[in-house]
Amino acid sequence: MPRFSVIVPCYRVQAFLPECLDSVLQQSFGDFELIAVDDCSPDGCGAILDEYAARDPRVTVLHLPENAGLGRARNAGIPHATGDYLFFLDSDDTLTPGALEAIADRLTESADPDVLVFDYARTYWWGGTRRNVLSHILTEAGAETFTAAARPEILDLLMVVWNKVYRREFVAENGFAFPPGYYEDTPWTFPVLLSARRIAALDRICLNYRQRRQGNILSTTSRKHFDIHDQYERVFAFVGQHPELAGWRPYLHRKMGEHCLDILAKPDRLPPADKAEFFRRTAELFRRHRPEGARVDGEVAVLEGSWTGYRLRRQTARAGREAARRAVQARRATGVRARAGWASLHARRPLDPHLVVYSASSHQGLLGDPAAVYAAAREIAPQLRGVWVVRDAETAARLPADVEHVIVGSRRYLEVTARAAFFVNDVNWPGTLAKRPGSVHIHTHQSTPLKYLGADLLDKPGARLGFDVPQMLRRADRWDYSLVANRHSELVWERAFPCHFTSVRTGSPRNDVLVNGGTGDFRERHGIPADHTVVLYAPTRRDYRRSGHVDRVDLARFAADLGEGHTLVVRLHPSLANGPARGLGLTELDRRGIVVDATGELRVADVLLAADVLVTDYSGVMFDYANLDRPIVVHADDHPAYTASRGTYLDITAEPPGHVSSSYRELAGLFSSGAWRDEESARLRARFRARFCEFDDGRAAERVVRTLLLGEPMPDAESARIPGQAASPDALASA
């Protein structure tokens, strides 16, 4: 008996069907059967299914003699299912890699619940990806099973059949089946979830929900959308047959009203001539099923009125929204003028020679080089007033109580930026910030450059998607000083940013804590045993994939292959922290204790200090980590594709900081054999450190404060300022 019976109804999807089938058949978890139902499709679906069945015994094909519709096609597959769980997959959607294994593991962990609900992501025809906005419901559900009564918010998720798996015996015992017509998921999902005694949640994206440009059934203008009324009649009939569910009537009553009004409001659902009839039928259904004493307010209150009243309310709402939009525009214009006047007023006042304005990582708080410079300035030069620019009130709330700050765009922000003598930032300041004569802009950068940046992106259209390179360079024109940790960075910055700045060989202030042997509480906070070897895996984003995320390593397998006494810590690129990437398995593996997800850690140094070895691909974090003189492994299994799409300033596979793997087998072999920390690894690392940690001596922050903020000399010869190319074309050669 297989673990899963994956039932795939097919109708007019020949262009998408192979991708759907491949996403199932190529799963790492193979204990399943695939029951494909050809719903008398007029295109090539039947032939495609027969071809797959001929070469894979897990595929069974049913050819229906006439078109039955999506729900009944699913019903046709159920009697042929022998698996423990039913999985209804639409034929234009796809499973994510590792989805079935993750679902199977969660089912085992939760002792085979009646229903398991998992997460999904919408994938758009133009290439975009967006995670389910209610994914937090799955996160908050936790590891224990529950009922809908205990967690009613589970019913707020999209009422579809394909984001769940169902215990087959539970379905058979209750006689659940799909009705004909549109919206057939509604009278399946509500009865199933309300009847389930044990529901489990999986906070992992297991399915890509394809958003087609055209051809989606529910986006087709038709009277078939009137089916929604019959579907809710079935829901209320089910509740009527189960007195124990009577308490759900008020909820379902409101849900029905909201659902029908949503269909009515969609411009592509109902023929215009039929909208009045749809409203009247909805209102009649709403009145008939209204529970005694139920409150009718908010959006659904309109159903107690007339069609004319509904239209007037819609027109009034549209007019209100338009008026609000114009009011917002007017307020913004007034605000811009007021802020410009405010800034102009302060711009006429002299610069404050003791005012230093800091920002890091697009105003995310005390981070990176600026934070290190700020800390050093408070100790060395307490007469300097440091003010941080943060993005919003939430970020400001995370700052220590004694840190002065302003929120970007506020009146106080305009005041301090108009009068500051010094600006310290690792990301370009907004274009609205005008640089006053006499002010000094110190740009600290975020890492040693490996991949192309700035002007070098002009011939890399994929890598500069969404980046305005000329605007970036105009903002970089405000730099006075560019901090460098090595001669390689010095050359790259002056090539990638052909602007009027001076390179300063200070080292990277953020790395002082690494060079000086700092400590952190990362291991303690995450419960990592003191005797464990911590393996940090820190991949970078990929420019050849629109989402930026590509699973290059099976994290669960890698953690298992590392064996006892090891903890795998994963830190994705910061640009992927709030997207769907973590939902593709990382979050769930962290919850189960298989890996530690460090993507959300703001202080990168704490993560680096906790690691005994770094595994990365092309992330600039390797240059910082090298200061710790600990082993580094470069996993470069897609090196040609990466360099072709992004471009790199050096071949990291030819000049690596440690051993290089070009396949997972090689990566696992380095750890099983112990080669990751052998003499060759140490030799490669020493050569790498000599080149790329050249100016990192543990005094970088002090050097910036003394030489650039206070104008004092430092005895170090290597801290000499190297004029930018505009000032002295021959400076680099002589240096």
Side-chain angles (χ1 to χ4, degrees):
M1 179 185 296
R3 189 59 163 159
F4 298 107
S5 292
V6 184
I7 299 175
V8 184
C10 308
Y11 183 76
R12 298 187 66 175
V13 288
Q14 63 178 12
F16 307 109
L17 183 55
E19 185 180 1
C20 171
L21 299 176
D22 289 341
S23 76
V24 178
L25 298 174
Q26 294 173 8
Q27 288 285 308
S28 57
F29 184 90
D31 187 17
F32 64 85
E33 60 183 2
L34 194 159
I35 301 170
V37 183
D38 171 19
D39 191 15
C40 200
S41 183
D43 59 5
C45 284
I48 293 171
L49 295 177
D50 289 339
E51 179 185 341
Y52 272 81
R55 64 174 187 252
D56 195 316
R58 295 173 296 179
V59 180
T60 299
V61 180
L62 306 178
H63 294 282
L64 302 187
E66 59 183 20
N67 180 249
L70 182 57
R72 288 180 171 176
R74 290 170 178 157
N75 289 341
I78 292 176
H80 297 269
T82 62
D84 297 331
Y85 281 84
L86 301 177
F87 191 150
F88 299 101
L89 176 65
D90 285 356
S91 48
D92 55 352
D93 296 336
T94 56
L95 298 185
T96 59
L100 288 184
E101 184 170 4
I103 293 172
D105 288 345
R106 183 72 181 101
L107 290 173
T108 300
E109 180 187 45
S110 53
D112 285 8
D114 296 328
V115 181
L116 172 67
V117 187
F118 53 80
D119 203 8
Y120 66 92
R122 296 175 188 264
T123 56
Y124 295 86
W125 61 269
W126 41 265
T129 301
R130 182 167 64 90
R131 189 176 187 181
N132 167 27
V133 296
L134 296 178
S135 60
H136 63 88
I137 292 176
L138 300 176
T139 306
E140 294 161 1
E144 301 302 319
T145 59
F146 53 90
T147 62
R151 288 192 172 274
E153 62 271 18
I154 200 71
L155 299 177
D156 293 334
L157 296 173
L158 195 61
M159 281 290 104
V160 291
V161 66
W162 41 254
N163 65 345
K164 309 169 186 72
V165 294
Y166 313 86
R167 190 166 58 82
R168 185 168 58 87
E169 292 182 358
F170 164 70
V171 171
E173 289 167 1
N174 289 274
F176 295 128
F178 293 93
Y182 281 17
Y183 304 100
E184 74 292 334
D185 287 5
T186 299
W188 168 283
T189 307
F190 279 121
V192 164
L193 290 180
L194 295 181
S195 302
R197 292 181 295 276
R198 299 177 64 248
I199 302 171
L202 173 60
D203 181 19
R204 185 194 194 278
I205 298 172
C206 296
L207 182 140
N208 288 320
Y209 176 29
R210 188 189 299 273
Q211 306 295 290
R212 292 159 66 176
R213 184 171 180 267
Q214 57 185 12
N216 184 291
I217 292 176
L218 292 184
S219 295
T220 303
T221 303
S222 166
R223 280 187 61 87
K224 289 288 289 180
H225 293 284
F226 279 77
D227 288 351
I228 189 64
H229 300 126
D230 290 338
Q231 306 298 22
Y232 271 102
E233 288 282 20
R234 293 182 172 99
V235 173
F236 285 115
F238 179 86
V239 172
Q241 295 164 7
H242 296 79
E244 71 276 11
L245 300 180
W248 286 102
R249 282 188 174 275
Y251 173 87
L252 294 171
H253 176 253
R254 175 174 287 273
K255 196 75 171 179
M256 178 269 292
E258 292 172 346
H259 195 169
C260 292
L261 288 174
D262 182 64
I263 294 170
L264 183 60
K266 292 283 197 301
D268 58 353
R269 299 292 173 91
L270 294 161
D274 296 325
K275 289 192 173 185
E277 180 187 353
F278 185 90
F279 176 86
R280 286 191 290 269
R281 287 185 57 178
T282 299
E284 191 278 328
L285 184 69
F286 191 74
R287 287 191 296 271
R288 180 151 42 87
H289 288 288
R290 178 178 178 177
E292 184 177 351
R295 288 194 315 158
V296 177
D297 53 12
E299 178 187 6
V300 296
V302 72
L303 290 171
E304 294 203 323
S306 65
W307 164 245
T308 301
Y310 168 80
R311 288 201 304 166
L312 287 173
R313 182 169 178 170
R314 293 272 298 172
Q315 291 169 359
T316 301
R318 281 196 295 268
R321 287 193 297 270
E322 178 61 21
R325 185 184 66 82
R326 291 179 178 176
V328 168
Q329 287 181 331
R331 285 197 299 271
R332 285 176 177 170
T334 302
V336 167
R337 289 192 296 270
R339 286 193 294 272
W342 185 261
S344 177
L345 173 65
H346 285 280
R348 290 194 292 270
R349 298 172 62 187
L351 293 177
D352 182 342
H354 296 109
L355 179 56
V356 187
V357 176
Y358 297 89
S359 180
S361 300
S362 299
H363 317 311
Q364 291 191 63
L366 269 73
L367 303 169
D369 287 334
V373 174
Y374 171 76
R378 295 187 71 172
E379 180 179 346
I380 298 170
Q383 71 273 24
L384 296 177
R385 174 191 171 201
V387 179
W388 279 85
V389 176
V390 294
R391 59 170 59 176
D392 50 33
E394 182 180 351
T395 306
R398 294 197 299 264
L399 299 176
D402 63 342
V403 173
E404 186 177 356
H405 66 274
V406 295
I407 295 175
V408 65
S410 67
R411 179 173 288 190
R412 288 192 62 233
Y413 164 81
L414 297 172
E415 178 182 346
V416 299
T417 55
R419 299 207 57 210
F422 300 97
F423 292 80
V424 182
N425 198 350
D426 61 3
V427 177
N428 267 321
W429 291 96
T432 54
L433 179 63
K435 185 177 190 295
R436 290 186 62 185
S439 65
V440 176
H441 283 236
I442 301 170
H443 196 77
T444 70
H445 305 288
Q446 291 188 324
S447 70
T448 289
L450 172 62
K451 44 188 174 281
Y452 276 12
L453 297 162
D456 291 327
L457 292 175
L458 289 172
D459 65 346
K460 297 292 181 182
R464 63 180 169 86
L465 180 66
F467 288 97
D468 184 337
V469 174
Q471 181 188 69
M472 183 188 303
L473 297 181
R474 285 193 295 272
R475 294 179 177 182
D477 281 334
R478 294 175 296 194
W479 301 356
D480 291 293
Y481 298 109
S482 168
L483 308 189
V484 298
N486 47 66
R487 289 177 173 85
H488 163 81
S489 296
E490 188 175 291
L491 295 172
V492 168
W493 297 136
E494 296 191 2
R495 163 182 159 165
F497 295 92
C499 305
H500 299 274
F501 59 81
T502 295
S503 295
V504 190
R505 296 175 175 178
T506 58
S508 298
R510 67 182 177 278
N511 289 336
D512 287 349
V513 66
L514 304 181
V515 176
N516 294 327
T519 60
D521 63 348
F522 180 85
R523 287 189 180 226
E524 181 181 352
R525 283 190 289 111
H526 291 276
I528 301 174
D531 60 344
H532 269 214
T533 298
V534 173
V535 179
L536 171 61
Y537 175 52
T540 193
R541 64 178 292 122
R542 299 301 197 272
D543 295 293
Y544 58 74
R545 182 70 62 85
R546 189 183 187 98
S547 67
H549 177 68
V550 181
D551 281 319
R552 306 306 312 176
V553 172
D554 183 331
L555 299 178
R557 179 183 178 186
F558 189 27
D561 288 345
L562 288 173
E564 292 292 329
H566 293 76
T567 295
L568 178 61
V569 175
V570 181
R571 181 180 174 82
L572 301 182
H573 190 274
S575 66
L576 304 177
N578 298 317
R582 295 167 80 179
L584 288 168
L586 179 55
T587 299
E588 173 65 8
L589 292 175
D590 177 84
R591 185 193 65 79
R592 293 167 55 197
I594 295 174
V595 305
V596 173
D597 178 10
T599 305
E601 292 281 334
L602 292 177
R603 288 179 50 84
V604 183
D606 287 349
V607 184
L608 300 184
L609 287 165
D612 297 297
V613 53
L614 169 68
V615 178
T616 187
D617 36 41
Y618 323 107
S619 172
V621 74
M622 73 176 78
F623 298 97
D624 294 346
Y625 189 77
N627 282 285
L628 291 170
D629 196 17
R630 299 174 187 173
I632 301 173
V633 173
V634 175
H635 183 54
D637 64 334
D638 64 341
H639 188 249
Y642 185 86
T643 54
S645 62
R646 180 61 189 247
T648 57
Y649 293 111
L650 68 147
D651 183 351
I652 198 63
T653 63
E655 304 175 76
H659 288 295
V660 178
S661 58
S662 58
S663 68
Y664 178 75
R665 182 177 180 179
E666 291 180 5
L667 175 63
L670 288 172
F671 282 90
S672 63
S673 66
W676 61 276
R677 54 182 175 185
D678 62 10
E679 291 184 4
E680 176 64 7
S681 169
R683 186 188 68 80
L684 293 170
R685 186 168 69 254
R687 185 178 65 180
F688 187 85
R689 293 180 70 244
R691 179 179 179 186
F692 296 109
C693 302
E694 187 178 6
F695 306 138
D696 281 338
D697 62 357
R699 301 183 66 189
E702 177 191 359
R703 191 171 291 116
V704 171
V705 173
R706 294 195 183 281
T707 63
L708 302 185
L709 299 184
L710 299 179
E712 298 176 357
M714 286 276 290
D716 312 39
E718 292 295 356
S719 68
R721 304 178 186 185
I722 310 300
Q725 52 197 353
S728 176
D730 299 324
L732 290 178
S734 61

